[in-house]
Amino acid sequence: MMRPTHAPADHPSVKPAKTGILIANLGTPDGYDYWSMRRYLNEFLSDKRVVDLSKWIWQPLLQGVILTRRPFSSGKNYKLIWNHEENESPLLTITKSQTRALAALAEEEWGDQVMVDFCMRYGNPSTKDVLERMVEAGCRRIVFLPLYPQYAGPTSATANDQLFRGLMEQTWQPAVRTVEPYVSRPDYIKALADSVRRALDGKVPKKLVASYHGMPKRYLMQGDPYHCQCQKTSRLLREELGWPEGIIDTTFQSVFGREEWLKPYTVEHVAELAKQGHTDIAVISPAFSSDCIETLEEINGEIAEAFEEAGGHHFQYIPCLNDDPAHIRVMLEVIRDNIGGWVEPRS
């Protein structure tokens, strides 16, 4: 803390200016008990970017039957994958590890000029709380990186929304740069391809299913680019692997509600593959930067079971990039592309 140059003696002290690097993930409940799950689901499912129905229609359903029943079933699923040693969800454990690794690289690059932290769109640590902490630490500029390679309104946009809401409460707002989707970055695609090669020991499968989180088809028709960017990821991944067309299938998971979502649905598609004689498949989730309930429980649970019940024999899930060094290096390069003019590398 120091008094600004030329300021009067009674001027409040100001911390030396820093540049913040803030990564954001989807979120996590604080526990798998009923009330922790209810708080988390209420925040998540009340987001207009996630469910854009009229609140007069949606909120009575949500606060009634959905939040009465769903916390029990979701809690059971979280309990199956919970990190009991740290008493936290795997998503939180992995995001912490990613942050530590990114902070180490950032320190090598920029020294104490930067501060690295993470937040969650839903649950804790909240975007608002972490933003306040960074501002109080002297961050006058912030690079904000939502951990979504492909842009979507219910992911990237709502993360940015929450950051902007937090900025509205700041007396002295920091300058902010939000990171654009990095779906086409060669280093991201190479990291994905290398993870496939390692998992499959260099073998070329007959079918690799690239399963992305789903969304209502209506969002695509309204102009959301997510579907197209998912298709692009699968194509670039196949090209990087050097595989012929037809090996990678793009599908979408986590469907709920009655309206049509992006198709094909992963759970149905893997069952159909088994019926067609593709009894040995691998599945990857390129839209997720960290393994979470949708990958560890849904893919390895519901989706794997659907495949096996339809006659499949061998189902292999390829983990997310998580804290793989190549993935952390991608994050650093994305940050470097967006921090230019704010911070100079250490000499």
Side-chain angles (χ1 to χ4, degrees), residues 29 53 69 187 207 211 228 247 263 272 277 311 316 325 331 337:
L53 299 175
R69 298 178 180 176
D187 51 359
K207 280 295 179 182
S211 180
C228 299
I247 292 181
K263 290 184 176 180
E272 185 60 31
Q316 181 175 357
M331 292 185 198
D337 289 347

Side-chain angles (χ1 to χ4, degrees), residues 154-170:
T155 54
S156 310
T158 191
N160 290 336
D161 290 345
Q162 197 72 348
L163 176 69
F164 300 147
R165 291 187 190 101
L167 289 170
M168 291 172 65
E169 299 185 20
Q170 295 301 315

